[in-house]
Amino acid sequence: MSRPPLRYRIADWCATRGRQIGAAWDSVIGPIENLIGRAGEGVLSAFDSFEGLESFVVQTVRIVLWPLIFFGRLVGRFLPSGTGRGPLYVIGRFLGRTGAAIYGLAERLNLDGVLVFLATISKPLWLPIASLLGFANAWLATRRPHELLLAAPALVFALPFAFVAVHGAMIGKEDIAERYKIAVRDAANAGDYAMVELFERKLAQLGIDTRRTDYRTALKLADDGDLQEAYMRMQRLATLDSPGYAPAHLWIARHLASGRVDVAGAPSDSTDRLASLALAEQHLEQLMKLDIASDGIALLRAYVLASTGRMVTAIELLEPYSDNPGPAAVLRLRLLTQVRDLMAARDQARVVLEMAADRKWRDTARTDDFESWALAAEVLGEEDQLEAALSAWLMSRPDDQEPRKLLSKHRREEAEQLLNSPTTAPAKTATIIVEAIRLGAPDTWTNALIGRIVQDRTTSRYVERVWDELSSSDATPEPLTTAMATIAAARGDIVSARAAFQRAIEHENAKAVVWNNYAWTLLQEPNPDPQAALEAVGRALDLAPDDFRFRETRGQALLALGRWEDAIADLEYALNGLPDAVDVHRSLAKAYEATAQPQLAEVHRRQAGF
């Protein structure tokens, strides 16, 4: 038996393949069509139930609202009656005619098979929509228009809810959440934290991560001064059971380490400092579990370690940051000096000095930064840098006593060194001494230094020139001039003392004791001038008329002028406060002798030890 021709075999093969493809397509599309069909049947059943419910509602409304229904029937006579064609009839007719035209054109172009194929494979997409629209059209077509008016109140009532649902679907959950976040921020700025909590709950209901918003609210509370409430909110964000919100962990650690709050969140009174530091370290460990690392976190950890006595560990932690100018280098330098690792401290000090050379750093430097700058200069023996650091510190913080004290100490040490260095200009040495005293040098140091100058000026030309600079300089403060005069007088250098006191009284508001001491030097050799002394002590008594010492000086001046009776009056007054003063008894004996009162003169001679 012969085989069929080749073209028949090809046609038969294609037909077989087509049947197989059709069967495969039916196996895929069939379940979908069945599902849609069942869904349609469910919808129809639901609407059948709805129609039954509708009939019940309509009958109930007719019974309750029969007067309005009667009025509605009257109005209904003037409304067009149902035509059996639903409101979607026109649209359906237009679409049908348009589809027929397209299909006719495709048939002429021999594309009808393609359109049928496309319609078949897209059937799962358009069939449900067509079914629903057809049902809606049929349902509306079987209803009388005036009966549909009964649904108007329900539609009006449901319209706001539909609007909210549609509007929410259109703008999206993210936009709604963003608006709530803005509301949270505005409420926090206004201090209305009740509204803040309400909006935060709304955000949580939307499934939005509110940790950042909660964190910013806590920051606002802290800015408003409510640290305890801020701390409690931060604790909810960053628990110790597991790693929480990283910024909250860091905030808690910083405030505990700085002492701004204690373990209970209240402002710290430093009663349990170690407990606060231990809790801060636990929060820093949570950051480590989150693999979060930075220079600031390393610096904070090092500070906590150092504050709890683990300085070596803190130094090792800061070593990777030691070559970079910054707070880590500053802290490491201070720790190295405390553990007396001077070699490493010198290397670190060079980095700090390099950092201090930046003008911007100086403008923003804090007290600790200036102190570290001075420490670096001291470690390296850089006197110029030390002076620059202390001067910049004092200029930046004029009310801070610490830089004043340190700079005064530096000036005192420098002054003592310069007195032993004749190669330095005397004017510079005098300037350093004056600055040391202006910065608050102790009186004991001032008196000791002036005593040394008074003693050495007779043997050292350099010290003599320093004395001359101090005596003649307008920059020399009045306390220093007075100290110079007093010490010179006590050491018997009347000429120098007289000159120093004369400069001291030239200062505005010179004290009474200065005038009195100047008068005393005028009564001494060489070249005593009792009249000038009387005038000077008069200025002292104008300021303190009842002072025993000043009355004695005036009595001595009057005695030198031969005014015996006036001298006796002042000297007797002085005895009330200076009963054992030998000079007063000796002068009174001389005055009584001159006034022919030998018995009283004898009494005072005995009191004077003659």
Side-chain angles (χ1 to χ4, degrees):
M1 184 175 182
S2 62
R3 297 177 64 185
L6 178 62
R7 67 176 184 275
Y8 291 111
R9 292 202 305 271
I10 294 174
D12 183 61
W13 184 87
C14 292
T16 303
R17 300 287 85 77
R19 287 192 297 273
Q20 291 176 351
I21 293 173
W25 181 259
D26 290 339
S27 65
V28 173
I29 298 300
I32 298 177
E33 290 182 340
N34 293 333
L35 179 62
I36 294 175
R38 292 177 181 177
E41 292 176 358
V43 171
L44 292 175
S45 300
F47 273 102
D48 288 341
S49 301
F50 175 75
E51 287 184 351
L53 179 62
E54 175 192 14
S55 300
F56 174 76
V57 173
V58 169
Q59 293 300 326
T60 303
V61 170
R62 283 178 178 175
I63 294 173
V64 175
L65 301 177
W66 66 268
L68 295 178
I69 294 174
F70 176 76
F71 178 75
R73 287 178 176 176
L74 292 177
V75 175
R77 293 180 178 273
F78 300 95
L79 296 177
S81 60
T83 61
R85 297 176 179 179
L88 300 179
Y89 172 77
V90 176
I91 299 175
R93 182 179 179 183
F94 171 75
L95 293 176
R97 290 181 176 181
T98 302
I102 294 174
Y103 185 79
L105 178 62
E107 191 173 27
R108 290 183 180 182
L109 296 175
N110 201 22
L111 297 175
D112 52 330
V114 175
L115 288 179
V116 171
F117 176 74
L118 292 176
T120 302
I121 64 174
S122 62
K123 192 175 181 180
L125 299 177
W126 57 263
L127 183 59
I129 299 175
S131 301
L132 289 175
L133 291 177
F135 173 80
N137 183 62
W139 187 82
L140 291 173
T142 58
R143 299 300 184 274
R144 287 180 292 180
H146 61 274
E147 289 182 347
L148 294 177
L149 293 176
L150 295 174
L155 291 175
V156 172
F157 179 76
L159 188 61
F161 298 97
F163 173 78
V164 171
V166 173
H167 183 67
M170 291 177 61
I171 65 176
K173 184 173 67 174
E174 291 75 11
D175 292 338
I176 296 175
E178 186 62 30
R179 296 185 182 185
Y180 273 123
K181 290 177 181 179
I182 295 174
V184 168
R185 183 188 62 197
D186 294 341
N189 291 336
D192 190 353
Y193 295 105
M195 292 301 297
V196 168
E197 292 184 0
L198 173 62
F199 292 136
E200 287 176 348
R201 288 198 299 270
K202 294 293 185 182
L203 286 169
Q205 292 172 359
L206 290 173
I208 302 298
D209 186 357
T210 62
R211 293 185 301 175
R212 184 172 181 271
T213 305
D214 297 343
Y215 175 73
R216 295 179 63 180
T217 302
L219 290 181
K220 186 63 172 58
L221 283 167
D223 293 339
D224 292 343
D226 194 351
L227 275 177
Q228 190 164 11
E229 179 62 25
Y231 180 78
M232 299 301 293
R233 284 175 171 262
M234 292 293 185
Q235 278 189 317
R236 291 197 292 267
L237 291 170
T239 64
L240 295 177
D241 298 334
S242 60
Y245 192 55
H249 280 299
L250 184 58
W251 186 93
I252 294 174
R254 282 177 174 170
H255 281 68
L256 288 171
S258 64
R260 293 189 63 188
V261 296
D262 59 16
V263 293
S268 178
D269 57 2
S270 301
T271 56
D272 199 359
R273 179 71 175 144
L274 291 178
S276 297
L277 291 171
L279 186 57
E281 188 172 4
Q282 293 179 31
H283 281 280
L284 291 173
E285 290 174 355
Q286 296 297 333
L287 291 176
M288 292 177 62
K289 293 179 181 178
L290 292 170
D291 292 331
I292 297 176
S294 67
D295 295 3
I297 294 176
L299 181 64
L300 184 57
R301 286 188 60 209
Y303 175 79
V304 172
L305 291 170
S307 300
T308 52
R310 293 169 286 176
M311 294 186 183
V312 175
T313 307
I315 292 172
E316 294 174 353
L317 178 63
L318 294 174
E319 187 172 0
Y321 312 97
S322 60
D323 294 334
N324 300 324
V330 170
L331 178 58
R332 188 167 183 270
L333 171 62
R334 300 180 67 172
L335 296 177
L336 286 169
T337 56
Q338 290 182 29
V339 299
R340 300 186 179 278
D341 188 351
L342 298 182
M343 183 175 295
R346 290 190 184 95
D347 294 335
Q348 194 65 66
R350 294 186 182 92
V351 177
V352 174
L353 289 186
E354 178 184 350
M355 177 175 59
D358 187 357
R359 184 68 182 178
K360 293 181 179 179
W361 180 87
R362 297 187 187 185
D363 294 338
T364 59
R366 301 173 302 175
T367 298
D368 290 345
D369 298 329
F370 284 116
E371 188 174 356
S372 299
W373 180 11
L375 177 61
E378 187 175 2
V379 168
L380 294 175
E382 298 282 351
E383 294 294 330
D384 294 340
Q385 283 288 334
L386 178 59
E387 182 175 344
L390 295 176
S391 299
W393 185 2
L394 181 60
M395 185 179 298
S396 177
R397 310 286 192 275
D399 297 331
D400 193 344
Q401 294 301 315
E402 187 64 19
R404 185 178 300 275
K405 181 174 66 175
L406 293 174
L407 188 57
S408 175
K409 178 183 176 183
H410 177 65
R411 287 285 185 262
R412 296 197 301 271
E413 294 174 352
E414 189 176 6
E416 293 173 359
Q417 293 174 0
L418 291 178
L419 283 177
N420 296 324
S421 178
T423 58
T424 306
K428 180 179 179 180
T429 303
T431 301
I432 296 299
I433 294 173
V434 169
E435 287 185 6
I437 294 173
R438 286 186 182 278
L439 289 168
D443 292 339
T444 54
W445 179 85
T446 302
N447 294 335
L449 183 70
I450 297 303
R452 174 186 170 185
I453 293 175
V454 171
Q455 180 178 350
D456 294 348
R457 60 182 292 217
T458 58
T459 58
S460 172
R461 174 59 182 161
Y462 177 75
V463 176
E464 174 69 18
R465 292 174 62 190
V466 171
W467 175 274
D468 293 340
E469 289 289 343
L470 291 172
S471 300
S472 60
S473 175
D474 294 335
T476 304
E478 187 270 337
L480 177 57
T481 304
T482 302
M484 292 171 60
T486 303
I487 294 172
R491 293 179 177 270
D493 189 352
I494 300 301
V495 175
S496 297
R498 188 180 296 166
F501 276 126
Q502 190 169 6
R503 285 194 59 82
I505 63 174
E506 292 174 357
H507 286 276
E508 187 177 0
N509 299 325
K511 297 179 181 179
V513 66
V514 176
W515 282 103
N516 179 75
N517 292 345
Y518 174 54
W520 182 86
T521 61
L522 291 173
L523 293 173
Q524 310 303 314
E525 294 290 347
N527 303 320
D529 187 350
Q531 184 60 43
L534 184 62
E535 294 174 2
V537 75
R539 295 291 299 273
L541 286 167
D542 289 340
L543 298 172
D546 298 326
D547 191 282
F548 300 112
R549 296 167 299 168
F550 302 167
R551 293 289 290 270
E552 179 204 356
T553 303
R554 188 172 70 174
Q556 299 291 357
L558 293 169
L559 187 69
L561 292 172
R563 296 169 56 179
W564 314 114
E565 296 294 340
D566 293 336
I568 290 173
D570 279 335
L571 293 171
E572 288 287 0
Y573 182 89
L575 279 180
N576 294 322
L578 305 168
D580 299 325
V582 175
D583 290 341
V584 176
H585 285 292
R586 184 186 299 115
S587 297
L588 279 171
K590 181 178 179 180
Y592 281 123
E593 188 72 36
T595 55
Q597 300 181 66
Q599 294 180 346
L600 290 176
E602 182 63 24
V603 170
H604 285 289
R605 276 196 292 270
R606 290 176 182 173
Q607 291 290 332
F610 294 104

